[in-house]
Amino acid sequence: MTLDRLRGSENGQTGLIVASGPSLRRTDLSVLDRHPYILMNRGYVLMDSYERAPSLICAHDPDVLKHFGAELAALPVPLMVSRDAADLFDRRENVAFLRYQLRWRFAKHLGLSSHHGYTAMFWALQGAYLLGWQKAVIIGMDHNHSSAGAPSAYETTGQVDTNHFDPRYFPQGLSLRNPVLRGNEYSYALARAAWDRAGRDVVDCTIDGKCDIFRKSELAIELGR
């Protein structure tokens, strides 16, 4: 069982949770070769640039899985995906399927279900907790999506993706649901409370990030401590 294999496997470490905002283009990503890290959604396009593989990749958005599930399924790294997409994946040891849970809570002992939290970052924070990290350093969480003014509405992607670190992150012509930033913030607050109670730390080192839920700092400071 993938989750049991991951549980506590990186106890006490400092790791990076890599979001997908444009600020990643101004971030020193060479740190991914020196520290454990978690990716989400199409963040796997970064993998070929670094020798170290991610500890985990999280994806639960049904549209992302519909369009890119085959690419995710081919990756030889631990995956945490929605059970609704089980037909897209072989039953392999590296894939954990999570059912959607109605109760919106942060799972300190992650099992076979979890609330979606409106953002893959919520699952990534639970994954980092599962791994046993003492400190999770977030990068690339700009929290500034161009379509956030119409949450949950569907929009068609344009020729250039301005909301992610790669202008081809989501190719043109895809119908995708807009983010729900207020929902994201509620999920982040739940995560922060759980990490705080456990005496662990989540710090947001996103360059010019607009989320104010987590403690803010700079990447060089946090990884140098």
Side-chain angles (χ1 to χ4, degrees), residues 30-51:
S30 68
V31 296
L32 301 186
D33 273 333
R34 302 193 297 273
H35 297 273
Y37 64 97
I38 293 173
L39 299 173
M40 60 199 78
N41 297 326
R42 288 207 78 212
Y44 57 81
V45 299
L46 291 169
M47 287 175 53
D48 290 343
S49 300
Y50 303 97
E51 294 184 6

Side-chain angles (χ1 to χ4, degrees), residues 104-211:
W104 198 345
R105 69 183 183 92
F106 183 93
K108 291 187 291 184
H109 189 87
L110 190 61
L112 294 179
S113 64
S114 174
H115 192 279
H116 54 68
Y118 288 99
T119 169
M121 177 62 74
F122 190 52
W123 276 20
L125 285 161
Q126 291 174 86
Y129 194 97
L130 173 85
L131 288 165
W133 292 1
Q134 181 61 32
K135 179 162 65 175
V137 178
I138 296 172
I139 55 176
M141 190 174 73
D142 294 35
H143 202 61
N144 186 33
H145 198 282
S146 64
S147 300
S152 288
Y154 273 88
E155 289 194 6
T156 301
T157 55
Q159 185 174 5
V160 177
D161 185 344
T162 60
N163 293 305
H164 298 92
F165 63 87
D166 188 328
R168 299 160 299 176
Y169 186 92
F170 284 142
Q172 184 178 11
L174 299 183
S175 180
L176 299 172
R177 191 185 294 272
N178 293 336
V180 184
L181 297 188
R182 291 294 296 275
N184 294 8
E185 292 168 358
Y186 183 75
S187 294
Y188 300 156
L190 290 176
R192 184 193 63 194
W195 280 71
D196 285 350
R197 284 194 296 269
R200 303 200 224 174
D201 192 17
V202 179
V203 55
D204 184 1
C205 292
T206 300
I207 296 172
D208 295 329
K210 297 189 181 305
C211 179

